[in-house]
């Protein structure tokens, strides 16, 4: 039985999808805790309602990222996670932190990486005239929005789309893809070779 800790900064809709899928599909795992860097994060209430431990490590209470990350790591490790999942966790993590959780920390980013790292991904894609957008689940490294790609979801851009409409359609696929990627991890079905992630049971790593 693997232990999962999820980090959020807000509503945590991907966290909700993972919690529900873990219960409904009977994963060999448990959500040990949901932790936020913001005391008012709405996702904390959802976690508590589902009997999941919650904690807050408020980044505003610390002098710098290094001190914050050290305290966050201490709290996370109190739950002895096999996997750390970032679900809308809006903090840039230090190299020491990412090294500590190397190959056992996942993130989801709303673009087809390596394109459009950082913020405002859908708006930037529209400005560039992209015909497809999407989202990527990847292992986290010290380099922002990089790391071995686990899965990608592809969404066609439609006439009249704006940032909000694209974001909503991509998010629906995120809610399918991210739980699948987490399930693969807890079932030991992900293998990294030369920086490329293989789903060892032969399931598709593409979502459309």
């Amino acid at each position: 039985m693997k232990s999962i800790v999820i980090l959020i900064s807000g509503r945590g809709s991907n966290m909700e999808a993972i919690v529900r899928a873990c219960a409904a599909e009977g994963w060999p795992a448990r959500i040990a805790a949901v932790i936020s860097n913001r005391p008012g994060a709405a996702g904390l209430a959802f976690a508590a309602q589902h009997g999941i431990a919650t904690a807050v490590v408020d980044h505003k209470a610390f002098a710098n990222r290094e001190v914050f990350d050290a305290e966050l790591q201490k709290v996370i490790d109190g739950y002895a996670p096999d996997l750390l999942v970032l679900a809308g966790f809006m903090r840039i993590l230090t190299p020491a932190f990412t090294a500590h959780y190397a190959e056992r920390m996942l993130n989801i980013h709303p673009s087809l990486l390596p394109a459009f790292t950082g913020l405002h991904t859908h708006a930037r894609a529209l400005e560039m005239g992209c015909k497809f957008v999407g989202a990527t689940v990847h292992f986290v490294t010290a380099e922002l929005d990089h790391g071995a790609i686990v899965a990608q979801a592809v969404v066609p851009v439609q006439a009249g789309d704006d940032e909000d409409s694209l974001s909503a359609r991509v998010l629906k696929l995120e809610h399918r893809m991210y739980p699948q990627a987490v399930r693969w991890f807890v079932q030991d079905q992900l293998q990294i070779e030369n920086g490329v992630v293989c789903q060892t049971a032969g399931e598709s790593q593409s979502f459309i």
Side-chain angles (χ1 to χ4, degrees):
M1 179 73 70
K2 286 187 168 61
S3 174
I4 301 170
V5 169
I6 304 177
L7 303 186
I8 64 171
S9 291
R11 174 189 165 195
S13 68
N14 273 308
M15 174 271 294
E16 293 182 13
I18 291 166
V19 168
R20 291 192 172 104
C22 183
E25 298 171 7
W27 298 354
R30 60 185 287 269
I31 312 300
V34 172
I35 301 172
S36 177
N37 64 306
R38 293 177 178 168
L44 294 171
F46 173 89
Q49 290 164 5
H50 286 75
I52 300 168
T54 63
V56 174
V57 183
D58 188 350
H59 64 279
K60 294 181 179 178
F62 298 88
N64 54 52
R65 278 195 290 150
E66 288 74 16
V67 178
F68 167 73
D69 279 9
E71 178 61 22
L72 179 62
Q73 179 178 313
K74 179 180 176 182
V75 173
I76 292 167
D77 286 352
Y79 297 98
D82 297 286
L83 176 65
L84 183 60
V85 175
L86 309 185
F89 186 67
M90 303 303 290
R91 298 291 299 171
I92 295 175
L93 299 166
T94 57
F97 186 95
T98 57
H100 182 71
Y101 298 105
E103 296 189 1
R104 57 190 182 107
M105 176 164 49
L106 293 176
N107 181 49
I108 191 162
H109 180 74
S111 81
L112 294 172
L113 294 175
F116 303 117
T117 61
L119 300 175
H120 309 297
T121 57
H122 301 312
R124 289 156 59 200
L126 286 170
E127 289 171 4
M128 291 296 294
C130 292
K131 308 311 177 190
F132 293 90
V133 296
T136 304
V137 177
H138 64 97
F139 283 99
V140 178
T141 65
E143 190 172 359
L144 180 66
D145 297 329
H146 284 69
I149 292 172
V150 176
Q152 290 189 308
V154 179
V155 172
V157 177
Q158 299 175 355
D161 265 332
D162 59 16
E163 186 175 5
D164 290 338
S165 62
L166 275 182
S167 177
R169 292 210 311 283
V170 171
L171 191 60
K172 287 182 179 179
L173 277 181
E174 288 183 23
H175 292 166
R176 283 178 46 210
M177 177 173 65
Y178 210 1
Q180 283 278 70
V182 174
R183 177 177 63 80
W184 292 338
F185 183 96
V186 301
Q187 291 180 334
D188 297 318
Q189 294 179 349
L190 295 177
Q191 183 175 330
I192 306 175
E193 293 184 2
N194 299 318
V196 176
V197 181
C198 173
Q199 207 290 330
T200 59
E203 294 187 47
S204 176
Q205 293 167 257
S206 301
F207 293 75
I208 56 175

